[in-house]
Amino acid sequence: MLLAAMEEFGEKGYAAASLNNICAAGIPKGLLYHNYENKDALYLACVKQSFSVLMNCLQEKGGDGGLQEYMEARLLFFRENKKEARLFFETLLQPPAALSEQITELKKEFDEWNRSLYRRLLSGITLRKGVTQEAAMEYFTLMQSMFNGYFSSPACSGMPFTDIVKAHETKLSVFLDYMLYGMAERGEKE
């Protein structure tokens, strides 16, 4: 049942997915409703599964490494797990509004993984005078929300979902590099 739901939500996303299509895969509607109250509950079970697969991949391939290892583990996950990747990006960039609280709860482990990565990255660099690790972590969290928000904004509203995902991942490592190391050399212009 969950496999059929993963197919449907992973291919079409929440809004376009249909419980009838899931049942067409040979699942009796009564059985579906016995296990899941409604479309929302089934979708959230799929989201939970997606984040579980992602975290397993990150823990196995991303280890406690740096930014490069993290980005490689993410790309590997997206390449090998198309359905889970679609659900991941939908919940990250365009979550169903009515489910945002539940999704936030389901992605807590992933969010903590990111905070842990940021802490490791920060521990390996010298922060500017007056910048504390706490302030830098707060900045990371704010910038991450803004970065993801951009891909949910009207600036990307006309783009196909696959193009939004590609742009997000292409720009993410550059964005993180700029956050850590800046864009400009310090000093006076000649």
Side-chain angles (χ1 to χ4, degrees):
M1 184 175 331
L2 195 58
L3 186 59
M6 290 292 293
E7 286 288 332
E8 181 74 4
F9 289 120
E11 210 173 282
K12 299 178 180 171
Y14 175 80
S18 159
L19 292 182
N20 287 334
N21 288 345
I22 294 168
C23 290
I27 298 163
K29 205 172 240 189
L31 182 61
L32 186 133
Y33 281 109
H34 176 74
N35 289 292
Y36 301 97
E37 182 180 343
N38 53 28
K39 179 180 177 180
D40 291 353
L42 185 55
Y43 178 78
L44 290 170
C46 291
V47 169
K48 182 178 181 178
Q49 173 68 20
S50 295
F51 275 95
S52 176
V53 173
L54 170 62
M55 291 309 304
N56 287 340
C57 182
L58 290 177
Q59 289 163 354
E60 185 180 312
K61 307 283 191 222
D64 289 336
L67 184 56
Q68 184 67 33
E69 292 85 0
Y70 174 71
M71 294 308 297
E72 287 172 6
R74 280 176 64 113
L75 291 174
L76 177 67
F77 167 76
F78 299 139
R79 247 191 336 267
E80 293 180 353
N81 302 282
K82 301 289 186 198
K83 296 177 294 290
E84 290 86 352
R86 164 67 192 233
L87 284 163
F88 167 80
F89 278 108
E90 183 173 61
T91 59
L92 188 69
L93 305 176
Q94 299 174 345
L99 302 177
S100 62
E101 283 183 36
Q102 295 97 321
I103 290 169
T104 297
E105 186 64 31
L106 291 173
K107 65 186 203 71
K108 272 187 175 180
E109 185 181 5
F110 173 73
D111 290 339
E112 183 51 43
W113 181 273
N114 281 334
R115 283 189 291 279
S116 177
L117 171 69
Y118 298 157
R119 280 192 221 56
R120 281 195 315 274
L121 294 173
L122 288 171
S123 70
I125 61 175
T126 303
L127 296 173
R128 286 185 5 210
K129 185 177 179 177
V131 176
T132 65
Q133 188 159 359
E134 288 174 4
M137 286 298 296
E138 187 177 316
Y139 178 73
F140 264 123
T141 302
L142 174 66
M143 294 307 295
Q144 177 182 318
S145 293
M146 291 173 65
F147 179 78
N148 290 338
Y150 169 78
F151 293 96
S152 305
S153 74
C156 296
S157 64
M159 292 172 66
F161 190 75
T162 54
D163 291 351
I164 293 171
V165 168
K166 185 176 180 182
H168 182 277
E169 288 305 290
T170 300
K171 295 175 189 281
L172 180 60
S173 60
V174 174
F175 175 76
L176 291 171
D177 184 70
Y178 286 170
M179 281 180 30
L180 283 170
Y181 307 111
M183 289 188 244
E185 292 289 331
R186 299 288 267 175
E188 295 184 32
K189 282 188 170 184
E190 292 181 18

